[in-house]
mmCIF file of all heavy atoms in Angstrom:
data_model
loop_
_atom_site.group_PDB
_atom_site.id
_atom_site.type_symbol
_atom_site.label_atom_id
_atom_site.label_comp_id
_atom_site.label_asym_id
_atom_site.label_seq_id
_atom_site.Cartn_x
_atom_site.Cartn_y
_atom_site.Cartn_z
ATOM 1 N N GLU A 780 -6.595 8.532 17.672
ATOM 2 C CA GLU A 780 -7.110 7.534 18.611
ATOM 3 C C GLU A 780 -6.540 7.700 19.994
ATOM 4 O O GLU A 780 -7.261 7.494 20.978
ATOM 5 C CB GLU A 780 -6.785 6.111 18.094
ATOM 6 C CG GLU A 780 -7.607 5.720 16.854
ATOM 7 C CD GLU A 780 -7.359 4.271 16.456
ATOM 8 O OE1 GLU A 780 -6.718 3.551 17.245
ATOM 9 O OE2 GLU A 780 -7.807 3.893 15.375
ATOM 10 N N PRO A 1001 -30.622 36.198 28.534
ATOM 11 C CA PRO A 1001 -29.819 37.323 29.044
ATOM 12 C C PRO A 1001 -30.322 37.794 30.426
ATOM 13 O O PRO A 1001 -31.507 37.764 30.729
ATOM 14 C CB PRO A 1001 -30.012 38.412 27.964
ATOM 15 C CG PRO A 1001 -31.234 37.980 27.204
ATOM 16 C CD PRO A 1001 -31.301 36.495 27.288
ATOM 17 N N THR A 1177 -25.730 -1.064 28.976
ATOM 18 C CA THR A 1177 -26.813 -2.048 28.739
ATOM 19 C C THR A 1177 -28.052 -1.388 28.166
ATOM 20 O O THR A 1177 -29.058 -2.035 27.989
ATOM 21 C CB THR A 1177 -27.188 -2.760 30.044
ATOM 22 O OG1 THR A 1177 -27.562 -1.785 31.032
ATOM 23 C CG2 THR A 1177 -26.023 -3.575 30.575
ATOM 24 N N LEU A 1312 -37.317 8.925 56.182
ATOM 25 C CA LEU A 1312 -37.254 7.995 57.309
ATOM 26 C C LEU A 1312 -37.392 6.560 56.844
ATOM 27 O O LEU A 1312 -36.696 5.660 57.328
ATOM 28 C CB LEU A 1312 -38.352 8.325 58.314
ATOM 29 C CG LEU A 1312 -38.258 9.684 59.038
ATOM 30 C CD1 LEU A 1312 -39.522 9.971 59.809
ATOM 31 C CD2 LEU A 1312 -37.037 9.713 59.938
#
Side-chain angles (χ1 to χ4, degrees):
E780 288 185 11
T1177 57
L1312 295 170

